[in-house]
Amino acid sequence: MAKDKSNAFKNIIVLFVVALISVSILAVLNQITADPIMIAEANAKTAIYKNVFSDAADIVESEDINSLLETYTTENSDISTNAALEAKDAGGNIIGYVIDATSPNGYGGDVQIAIGITDDGTITAFSVISASETPGLGAKATENEFSSQFSGLSAQEITYSKTGANRNNNEIDAISGATITTNAVTEAVNEAITFYNNALKGE
């Protein structure tokens, strides 16, 4: 009986040591992979920023804009402006902005987008940064047929239509069968537009 207890105790010790080693290895691996993952995500986001304002020679952060973001409050606290950067021409002149915003109201959760807006208030392009939407439906928000609708629209409130958009009314066509995703995208875009008008342009 004493021998059985001794063996059981030894087994517990062995399992504890194995678990401790496993946790230590996982922690080391996580540390090793964390930085490359962060770098890859940052590079992907930078590529998207450049894509939504392709006429810019450079897209850079601004201390003044970052300060605005720290104190900026939105009308809907669930929707947020994550970042805003200056788009500059080859001479270093500001020709517009790239704004990154998120709505939590997608079918699969957060929908994060980026748009470019020229200094005179025209949207250059739109892109989804990240979203977990239904394949074949909500995921169409990432396709050119949908995203290209934003180019050329005014940086004023955008609405969507299920029956045929009127661009003169700043409308886009909703994604068929994915109204929730369309709404989330529109919320995020309008948040970015509001930040542009209220914080950057001071209107």
Side-chain angles (χ1 to χ4, degrees):
M1 186 72 174
K3 187 177 181 180
D4 289 342
K5 286 184 178 180
S6 176
N7 287 337
F9 182 72
K10 287 179 182 178
N11 289 338
I12 291 171
I13 294 297
V14 169
L15 288 173
F16 176 77
V17 171
V18 169
L20 186 61
I21 292 171
S22 298
V23 169
S24 299
I25 291 171
L26 286 173
V28 171
L29 289 174
N30 183 63
Q31 187 61 40
I32 291 171
T33 58
D35 287 345
I37 289 171
M38 286 179 63
I39 291 170
E41 289 176 349
N43 288 340
K45 190 176 287 188
T46 299
I48 289 172
Y49 289 167
K50 289 180 178 178
N51 184 56
V52 297
F53 212 124
S54 58
D55 286 345
D58 203 8
I59 295 171
V60 297
E61 288 191 12
S62 158
E63 289 185 9
D64 290 341
I65 293 177
N66 288 340
S67 295
L68 282 174
L69 282 166
E70 289 176 5
T71 58
Y72 181 72
T73 55
T74 64
E75 294 178 5
N76 185 334
S77 59
D78 290 337
I79 306 167
S80 60
T81 299
N82 309 311
L85 301 92
E86 294 174 342
K88 296 185 175 183
D89 63 17
N93 303 302
I94 298 173
I95 57 174
Y97 302 89
V98 172
I99 305 173
D100 172 334
T102 298
S103 167
N105 300 318
Y107 189 82
D110 287 354
V111 174
Q112 184 179 4
I113 63 89
I115 59 171
I117 305 177
T118 63
D119 202 41
D120 65 359
T122 301
I123 295 175
T124 56
F126 157 92
S127 184
V128 172
I129 295 175
S130 64
S132 300
E133 302 302 277
T134 309
L137 293 173
K140 289 183 178 180
T142 64
E143 296 178 1
N144 185 64
E145 183 179 354
F146 177 77
S147 62
S148 62
Q149 297 183 89
F150 292 88
S151 299
L153 292 180
S154 173
Q156 299 297 326
E157 183 181 10
I158 289 173
T159 57
Y160 60 87
S161 172
K162 297 180 183 180
T163 57
N166 182 342
R167 287 183 63 84
N168 292 329
N169 293 335
N170 239 33
E171 288 182 344
I172 59 165
D173 285 313
I175 301 168
S176 179
T179 303
I180 293 174
T181 300
T182 305
N183 186 66
V185 166
T186 307
E187 285 181 337
V189 169
N190 283 330
E191 166 62 20
I193 289 170
T194 300
F195 181 80
Y196 168 83
N197 287 317
N198 292 353
L200 297 178
K201 305 301 286 185
E203 295 180 2

